[in-house]
Amino acid sequence: KQEVTQIPAALSVPEGENLVLNCSFTDSAIYNLQWFRQDPGKGLTSLLLIQSSQREQTSGRLNASLDKSSGRSTLYIAASQPGDSATYLCAVRQGSLTGANSKLTFGKGITLSVRP
Amino acid sequence: GAGVSQTPSNKVTEKGKYVELRCDPISGHTALYWYRQSLGQGPEFLIYFQGTGAADDSGLPNDRFFAVRPEGSVSTLKIQRTERGDSAVYLCASSLTLGEQFFGPGTRLTVL
């Protein structure tokens, strides 16, 4: 059974700092990995999707990397801003011989606070 | 609309009652997913539709939970004889087949 872990559960940094959020998963046979942002009381906003054949994806100040063999992904946020404060979740979609499983398996998320 | 929509945004009900939660996916998305998120946890998978059929319902916790998607677009999640433990945020997502999943704002269900 796939398990996704995100540590630490919470992180507080001063504005302007570059930071890395970690995600690990137990079964490396994944189809893809998605990073999401969730604001309090809101739904999930997709940030980046990395296919299993890719090593990284970039969008603006965000860069996500994937090391499938070691079961790890990182989300790098450059020059953090107070508006980046939110919970960041990673989720994996399992692969299989006949195609990808449908569901995403999520971590519990990392709650980020960026202090002005 | 451009995104996934869910109604109602909040639902308060009494233990034992029946509730229906609605999801309108992004137009053209053939895949639709339901997840449940409890406080401080990541979303947990409930059921996945490809078109009109439930391709994977392995996440439904018990037979009080049922979902339909009769015309391959809008989906309804139905919960019978609600229990306090059903209180959570119910999230719906849609995608092109095997594509990036886009989530709605969720329905917060509170069972008193």
Side-chain angles (χ1 to χ4, degrees):
Chain A
K1 178 187 171 187
Q2 178 73 271
E3 292 183 3
V4 180
T5 302
Q6 294 184 256
I7 296 173
L11 187 61
S12 179
V13 301
E15 182 177 5
E17 189 163 302
N18 300 326
L19 57 100
V20 172
L21 306 180
N22 293 307
C23 171
S24 62
F25 46 94
T26 55
D27 187 340
S28 62
I30 65 169
Y31 184 77
N32 60 35
L33 182 146
Q34 255 180 288
W35 280 93
F36 294 89
R37 169 185 173 137
Q38 186 171 34
D39 292 284
K42 305 291 185 183
L44 279 66
T45 300
S46 180
L47 298 174
L48 290 163
L49 180 145
I50 310 178
Q51 300 292 351
S52 61
S53 59
Q54 297 176 317
R55 297 285 293 184
E56 65 179 83
Q57 282 285 346
T58 299
S59 176
R61 293 183 295 109
L62 305 179
N63 175 277
S65 67
L66 174 64
D67 184 342
K68 199 173 74 161
S69 60
S70 68
R72 294 180 186 276
S73 177
T74 62
L75 179 66
Y76 175 83
I77 303 176
S80 58
Q81 303 170 358
D84 294 330
S85 299
T87 296
Y88 291 81
L89 298 107
C90 74
V92 299
R93 177 177 245 164
Q94 210 65 20
S96 71
L97 292 177
T98 56
N101 288 344
S102 55
K103 64 182 181 182
L104 293 175
T105 302
F106 283 83
K108 293 184 179 181
I110 298 173
T111 299
L112 173 66
S113 174
V114 181
R115 306 186 301 272
Chain B
V4 178
S5 62
Q6 293 186 245
T7 54
S9 55
N10 280 284
K11 176 69 177 179
V12 180
T13 190
E14 294 180 344
K15 180 175 178 296
K17 299 290 188 182
Y18 168 83
V19 297
E20 289 190 353
L21 312 179
R22 176 188 167 105
C23 172
D24 275 274
I26 293 172
S27 178
H29 279 188
T30 54
L32 184 146
Y33 315 80
W34 285 97
Y35 294 84
R36 178 168 71 173
Q37 186 175 26
S38 300
L39 195 63
Q41 304 294 314
E44 293 181 326
F45 170 78
L46 295 175
I47 187 169
Y48 155 59
F49 287 90
Q50 182 61 41
T52 60
D56 182 355
D57 64 358
S58 62
L60 295 178
N62 52 59
D63 61 5
R64 296 187 297 106
F65 288 74
F66 189 71
V68 295
R69 194 186 186 199
E71 298 179 355
S73 178
V74 169
S75 176
T76 304
L77 179 66
K78 309 180 180 194
I79 310 174
Q80 298 177 322
R81 305 183 303 280
T82 52
E83 299 177 356
R84 292 193 179 88
D86 299 336
S87 296
V89 176
Y90 289 80
L91 295 165
C92 175
S94 71
S95 75
L96 298 172
T97 303
L98 301 183
E100 187 175 2
Q101 293 189 24
F102 296 91
F103 281 74
T107 294
R108 182 175 298 278
L109 175 65
T110 303
V111 182
L112 301 177

